[in-house]
Structures are given as structure tokens and as C-alpha cells.
């Protein structure tokens, strides 16, 4: 029992020594990541899938938008379908909906690209004998893909903003 406790204590000490720190917490230097994320404006994205991704991004980044955003993010989406589980008559019974996204974070004032990244989401769905059921399954896969893309974009923006917050000079304390 004491050996297990010793391993646990050593593991916890190693975790604190690795530089682990909360992403959304207040830091000694710079602004909080959450506050910086709220200053990002999500530009309109084309098509229905774009509307879903923009809604998810807006809900995560800035549910109460800043009056004057400092950053803007533009997203370009492409969608494709890949047939899987093909029968002998060459009809597919399963498909993957593949969503590729490229996003660019820019400063509103200068317009230069601060961060650019590509993201891919693959979601499977069944192709059934009922067209309505197949369309519903495809719609659900599209909604899951939009959520995956939005989550990945927010994660990458959070990491970037956290680094920016750490690099900015400490505010003068009074």
C-alpha cells in the first residue's frame, strides 16, 4: 500500500514539474485566454455547413460579442462523401462524410494572418433503404462534423491566445 502511495506522490510531483497550467485561468502576466477569445469575430461562412460551424464557433468564442473585436477568423470548408462497406451490386451501405476546414486568424487593425491551420473531421453514417432515414443520418453526421471542426478551431485559437497572453508585458500594478 505504501509503495502505491509513493508512486502516486511521485507522479503528482512530476505532473507539476512538467509545466502543466490551466488554459482558461487567470495568469500573472497578460490577459486571460477566455477574455482574448471573446474578442474574436467569426466571419460568415458559405453554405449550410458553414452556418453550423459559425454558430458553434460563436457559441464557444463569444456568446456576448465584444463591441469592437480585435481579431477575426475566416473559415473555408469543403465537404465530400466516401462510400464504405460496398455490396456485390456496387451499392454502399456505409459512408463517411469528410469535412476539411482551413481557418485564418487575422488582426482586425492590420489584416495580417496571425494563425493559419487545416482541420479534418470524418464522421460515418449508414446508408439505409429509406431515403429519409439516410438523409437524417447524413444530416446528423454533418452536424457532428461541424461540432468537431468548431472544437478543433477553438482549441487551436485557445493555445495561440494563451501564448500571446504569456508573451505580452505584465500590466503595471497600482
Amino acid at each position: 500500500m505504501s509503495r502505491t502511495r509513493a508512486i502516486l506522490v511521485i507522479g503528482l510531483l512530476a505532473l507539476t514539474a512538467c509545466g502543466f497550467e490551466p488554459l482558461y485561468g487567470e495568469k500573472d502576466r497578460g490577459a486571460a485566454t477566455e477574455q482574448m477569445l471573446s474578442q474574436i469575430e467569426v466571419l460568415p461562412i458559405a453554405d449550410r455547413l458553414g452556418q453550423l460551424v459559425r454558430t458553434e464557433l460563436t457559441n464557444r468564442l463569444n456568446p456576448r460579442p465584444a463591441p469592437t473585436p480585435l481579431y477575426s477568423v475566416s473559415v473555408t470548408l469543403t465537404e465530400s462523401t466516401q462510400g464504405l462497406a460496398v455490396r456485390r451490386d456496387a451499392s454502399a451501405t456505409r459512408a463517411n462524410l469528410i469535412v476539411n476546414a482551413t481557418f485564418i486568424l487575422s488582426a482586425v487593425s492590420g489584416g495580417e494572418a496571425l494563425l493559419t491551420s487545416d482541420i479534418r473531421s470524418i464522421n460515418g453514417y449508414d446508408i439505409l433503404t429509406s431515403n429519409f432515414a439516410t438523409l437524417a443520418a447524413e444530416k446528423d453526421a454533418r452536424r457532428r462534423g461541424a461540432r468537431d471542426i468548431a472544437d478543433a478551431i477553438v482549441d487551436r485559437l485557445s493555445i495561440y491566445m494563451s501564448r500571446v497572453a504569456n508573451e505580452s508585458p505584465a500590466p503595471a500594478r497600482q
Side-chain angles (χ1 to χ4, degrees):
M1 188 69 157
S2 64
R3 183 180 179 131
T4 305
R5 286 185 184 172
I7 292 173
L8 181 63
V9 169
I10 291 171
L12 289 174
L13 289 174
L15 183 63
T16 59
C18 75
F20 177 78
E21 57 185 56
L23 186 62
Y24 291 103
E26 291 286 333
K27 306 221 187 267
D28 292 338
R29 302 176 61 79
T33 304
E34 189 172 349
Q35 180 184 4
M36 293 181 78
L37 288 175
S38 70
Q39 296 174 346
I40 299 175
E41 175 187 22
V42 182
L43 300 177
I45 309 169
D47 298 327
R48 176 65 182 144
L49 178 61
Q51 290 175 341
L52 293 171
V53 171
R54 184 172 191 266
T55 300
E56 294 288 338
L57 278 173
T58 303
N59 288 342
R60 286 167 175 73
L61 292 174
N62 51 6
R64 288 176 232 101
T68 55
L70 300 176
Y71 307 97
S72 66
V73 64
S74 64
V75 181
T76 305
L77 299 170
T78 58
E79 177 183 327
S80 62
T81 304
Q82 176 185 33
L84 304 171
V86 180
R87 294 186 191 141
R88 290 180 191 235
D89 66 351
S91 62
T93 59
R94 183 119 177 110
N96 277 342
L97 182 73
I98 303 166
V99 180
N100 292 307
T102 301
F103 75 90
I104 301 170
L105 177 70
S106 305
V108 172
S109 60
E112 70 273 3
L114 303 172
L115 176 67
T116 303
S117 187
D118 297 320
I119 299 167
R120 173 179 273 191
S121 172
I122 301 173
N123 291 282
Y125 63 95
D126 290 328
I127 299 175
L128 306 165
T129 54
S130 166
N131 287 338
F132 178 77
T134 301
L135 287 174
E138 184 178 359
K139 182 179 177 182
D140 182 58
R142 187 171 289 112
R143 189 173 27 245
R144 285 181 284 139
R147 208 173 297 131
D148 290 347
I149 294 292
D151 285 342
I153 290 174
V154 169
D155 288 346
R156 292 181 189 181
L157 289 174
S158 297
I159 291 168
Y160 176 80
M161 291 298 178
S162 176
R163 289 180 183 158
V164 167
N166 283 336
E167 291 173 3
S168 64
R173 297 191 184 220
Q174 297 178 356

